[in-house]
Amino acid sequence: MLYFIYLIRGIFLSLLLAVVLAYLLHPLVRMLESRGSSRTASILIVYAVVFILAAGLLLYGMPHIIAQLNTIRDVIPEYAVQVQEFTDSLQLEYARAGIPGAIRQIIDERITWLEQILVQMAERVVQNILGLAGYLFNIILAPIFAYYLLKDIEIFTDRTVMFIPARWRGDVLELGRQVSRVIDSFVRGYLLVSVITGLLTGVVLAFLKVEFALMLGIFAGLTNLIPYFGPFIGAVPAVALAMLVSKWLVLKVIIAFILIQQAEASIISPKILGDRVGLHPLVVILAVLAGGQLFGLAGLILAVPVAAILRVFIYFAAARLLPEFN
């Protein structure tokens, strides 16, 4: 059995994507079904709506994204010259400041190290984007698997429950409900918050006439999935581009990101997420740092839900093993 699982490991990505897709679409299917539609009709209606929205975004968004990518490719040499002039002026300034030679050498080494890191990150992003083409078949299979999961989800659930010993069944189902609430809070909540944040960022940057506002908005929305550190990471490219235009634009971009972050932290996230994940801010920061150190970008994004699920297991076990814990 283990060898067979090893042989079919290539479809695990499709199954994982199917589970995520089914998890996200199940509330919509259930809502339509409660209004009188059959299960199959509800799934097909949800699929049709999702397909129309995705096709609309692709048809409208992809030409703009491709155009901006082509523009970025064309202006990179100009920006490289401006960045070189900017760094030369900085080096001239701190050379005049009378900084000792040893310290200047350390600063130069750090600048070179940072440039190498940025180049490696850019190369990695390009490789990952190109690598997605190899998973196209797995991505196409995911909606097919998700359809059958949505259609017969009760059958799969009931048959899975049958394999749980009767004396553990109540605890396992209760633990599953708690984990499901945490995942629901994170996945649906954070995705919605990130989409809103990305849209706000793109609109505000376009209003400020910052180049590549669409790409910067998408980047800000994606990095917003990383708690605490994401907004700062998302602001870096916009601030860097603004530095090449004027100091006044840099100030406006920084103020815009601060206002968006305050709106997200004070209004958007509390309304959508609340405190349902149940983690202390210090635990969140430590989890994000550990996830980034161990697993890179994926660790940064998945650190919080994994930590929240571990918290559910620990509290559940403590409540069962230590009666006074209740």
Side-chain angles (χ1 to χ4, degrees):
M1 178 61 70
L2 291 174
Y3 181 63
F4 176 72
I5 292 173
Y6 172 78
L7 291 177
I8 64 171
R9 65 190 183 279
I11 68 171
F12 284 171
L13 177 61
S14 299
L15 292 173
L16 179 61
L17 291 175
V19 170
V20 173
L21 187 61
Y23 189 85
L24 293 173
L25 298 183
H26 184 250
L28 298 176
V29 173
R30 190 169 52 191
M31 180 185 68
L32 290 175
E33 197 174 9
S34 66
R35 297 185 176 182
S37 299
S38 65
R39 174 65 61 85
T40 301
S42 300
I43 297 172
L44 293 177
I45 291 171
V46 171
Y47 267 45
V49 172
V50 171
F51 176 78
I52 291 171
L53 291 175
L57 288 174
L58 287 174
L59 292 175
Y60 175 77
M62 286 305 295
H64 290 78
I65 293 174
I66 293 172
Q68 291 204 351
L69 287 173
N70 289 330
T71 305
I72 291 174
R73 181 196 62 191
D74 295 336
V75 300
I76 279 178
E78 300 177 14
Y79 281 152
V81 172
Q82 294 184 39
V83 170
Q84 184 62 45
E85 293 175 353
F86 181 73
T87 54
D88 290 344
S89 65
L90 284 180
Q91 291 177 354
L92 184 60
E93 289 295 330
Y94 81 76
R96 290 176 179 172
I99 298 175
I103 296 178
R104 280 194 311 210
Q105 182 179 357
I106 294 173
I107 295 174
D108 291 337
E109 290 175 355
R110 292 299 91 188
I111 292 174
T112 303
W113 172 80
L114 180 60
E115 291 175 352
Q116 292 174 350
I117 291 295
L118 293 175
V119 169
Q120 291 174 3
M121 288 176 62
E123 291 176 349
R124 194 174 303 167
V125 169
V126 173
Q127 290 173 359
N128 290 335
I129 292 174
L130 294 176
L132 288 176
Y135 296 102
L136 184 60
F137 181 70
N138 300 83
I139 295 172
I140 293 173
L141 280 179
I144 300 174
F145 291 157
Y147 170 82
Y148 290 104
L149 287 175
L150 288 168
K151 185 174 182 296
D152 299 319
I153 188 168
E154 287 82 7
I155 296 176
F156 290 119
T157 303
D158 293 341
R159 289 183 178 176
T160 302
V161 170
M162 288 174 57
F163 287 96
I164 304 173
R167 58 176 177 167
W168 298 339
R169 194 168 296 166
D171 285 344
V172 172
L173 293 178
E174 176 59 26
L175 185 60
R177 281 190 288 268
Q178 293 184 24
V179 171
S180 179
R181 281 196 295 268
V182 169
I183 296 176
D184 180 82
S185 301
F186 183 83
V187 174
R188 296 193 184 99
Y190 264 97
L191 283 177
L192 183 56
V193 169
S194 296
V195 169
I196 294 173
T197 302
L199 288 174
L200 282 175
T201 303
V203 170
V204 171
L205 293 180
F207 177 77
L208 294 176
K209 294 182 170 49
V210 177
E211 287 192 274
F212 318 120
L214 175 62
M215 297 295 297
L216 294 173
I218 294 173
F219 182 74
L222 292 174
T223 55
N224 196 72
L225 291 170
I226 304 171
Y228 292 101
F229 305 104
F232 298 101
I233 299 172
V236 169
V239 174
L241 286 174
M243 289 177 64
L244 301 176
V245 179
S246 69
K247 296 179 180 178
W248 177 237
L249 184 59
V250 171
L251 179 61
K252 290 193 287 186
V253 169
I254 292 175
I255 292 174
F257 270 94
I258 291 174
L259 293 176
I260 292 172
Q261 173 58 22
Q262 290 302 310
E264 186 266 331
S266 304
I267 301 173
I268 301 172
S269 289
K271 290 290 185 183
I272 297 174
L273 292 173
D275 297 322
R276 289 179 293 173
V277 175
L279 293 175
H280 191 277
L282 180 60
V283 176
V284 173
I285 293 173
L286 292 176
V288 170
L289 291 174
Q293 181 70 27
L294 294 173
F295 303 106
L297 180 59
L300 289 173
I301 295 174
L302 298 176
V304 173
V306 170
I309 292 172
L310 289 176
R311 174 189 177 277
V312 169
F313 276 90
I314 292 170
Y315 273 67
F316 189 86
R320 291 295 184 272
L321 299 176
L322 303 172
E324 65 273 14
F325 186 80
N326 292 320

